[in-house]
Amino acid sequence: MRRTIIAGNWKLNGTIQETEDLITALLNGESKNDKATVLVCPPYTSLQLAAKLTSGTHIAVGAQDMSAQEKGAYTAEVSADMLLTVGVTYVILGHSERRQYHGETDRLVNKKAKLALAKGLTPIICVGETIDQREAGDTDKVIGGQIEETISGFTADMIRRSVIAYEPVWAIGTGQTATPEMAQEVHKFIREKVAATDSEAAEALPILYGGSMKPGNADGLLSQPDIDGGLIGGASLKAADFIGIIKAV
Ligand code: 13P
């Protein structure tokens, strides 16, 4: 049985006050589901507070990125050790917004993921195609390449300690969701691709869907055999919506 993970990627949202309000609302609401791991990923400045508020609860905390470097003269970077010291256990890597606006490559994501794993953090490695790539019939080629490169050099044990998120770029923040069948097809393809390294580890790997997931469409997506949870942007900022998705598991 694979783990189901419902993760909220808050992106550039979440002042100290907003973090306190949202986490309090989640803890006071029905955000617990024994069938799912619930995770929030606030911005760096709110991580320590988020970890403190959720300590001893069912909610885990993740960061949205981390440095590929361990320490040193890398202005504005945040290291794996720094994340660990504030109580972070997961880290999103290679989100399409990092790729698009900050030039992150599969190679860099691979380096970060290896460092995260070496430090004991769980990487959530993001892949996804653009609308042009999908319309050109290149979805498998693009996703296949991203998977190959981002998990290059991974052992079976490293796969077992990782999470992958499939986020079609055209579905992020657009309100346009992949249909459950479309998403399932890519998730299955990703699992097959990972199975080339180790089939048992691929079978146990949680693959999350991200892209306009909401309470209204979560059920259809989450009931697909290879969709093991969600990485949720917009709908994770409203406690009621995020709870609605947690309940759909
Ligand atoms: P939306 O849920 O806002 O489409 O964002 C998805 C996402 O990018 C999560 O990482």
Side-chain angles (χ1 to χ4, degrees):
M1 219 7 213
R2 284 190 289 272
R3 252 179 334 135
T4 299
I5 301 170
I6 300 297
N9 175 8
W10 293 9
K11 307 191 180 185
L12 186 53
N13 301 285
T15 59
I16 290 293
Q17 189 60 54
E18 286 162 350
T19 299
E20 183 161 355
D21 292 348
L22 184 46
I23 290 180
T24 304
L26 291 174
L27 290 172
N28 289 338
E30 293 173 76
S31 62
K32 192 169 185 327
N33 180 335
D34 291 337
K35 287 183 279 190
T37 296
V38 176
L39 174 68
V40 292
C41 304
Y44 289 130
T45 47
S46 285
L47 288 173
Q48 187 169 14
L49 173 65
K52 198 169 146 212
L53 292 170
T54 57
S55 169
T57 74
H58 61 284
I59 300 180
V61 177
Q64 298 172 17
D65 186 27
M66 63 167 236
S67 179
Q69 309 296 336
E70 285 206 57
K71 67 191 297 184
Y74 300 99
T75 300
E77 292 280 272
V78 174
S79 74
D81 285 331
M82 292 168 190
L83 297 179
L84 287 164
T85 56
V86 295
V88 164
T89 50
Y90 289 77
V91 59
I92 298 171
L93 296 174
H95 190 281
S96 66
E97 287 147 17
R98 298 298 312 169
R99 294 171 182 264
Q100 189 182 345
Y101 305 128
H102 302 274
E104 293 208 7
T105 60
D106 291 325
R107 207 189 155 90
L108 179 69
V109 176
N110 177 251
K111 189 174 175 192
K112 290 183 178 188
K114 285 176 171 161
L115 180 58
L117 287 164
K119 294 288 182 180
L121 289 162
T122 301
I124 301 176
I125 300 166
C126 302
V127 297
E129 82 287 4
T130 63
I131 193 64
D132 289 349
Q133 291 165 335
R134 174 164 280 268
E135 284 174 355
D138 287 340
T139 302
D140 285 4
K141 193 176 100 196
V142 170
I143 303 292
Q146 288 175 339
I147 292 293
E148 254 169 49
E149 282 202 52
T150 55
I151 69 162
S152 163
F154 273 35
T155 61
D157 175 63
M158 288 162 81
I159 295 169
R160 262 184 233 110
R161 293 189 289 121
S162 300
V163 174
I164 287 181
Y166 168 56
E167 299 206 309
V169 178
W170 48 271
I172 296 176
T174 58
Q176 200 189 339
T177 323
T179 63
E181 294 72 27
M182 271 161 95
Q184 163 59 24
E185 201 181 321
V186 180
H187 281 232
K188 185 164 175 278
F189 172 76
I190 291 172
R191 200 176 305 286
E192 283 164 4
K193 203 77 201 157
V194 177
T197 301
D198 188 280
S199 57
E200 270 179 49
E203 208 39 56
L205 173 74
I207 305 176
L208 317 184
Y209 169 81
S212 299
M213 195 188 260
K214 301 179 213 50
N217 60 28
D219 183 37
L221 288 159
L222 296 172
S223 57
Q224 295 297 315
D226 287 289
I227 301 185
D228 310 308
L231 182 54
I232 300 121
S236 74
L237 297 172
K238 287 193 200 122
D241 287 353
F242 196 50
I243 287 172
I245 295 172
I246 295 167
K247 283 186 163 178
V249 174

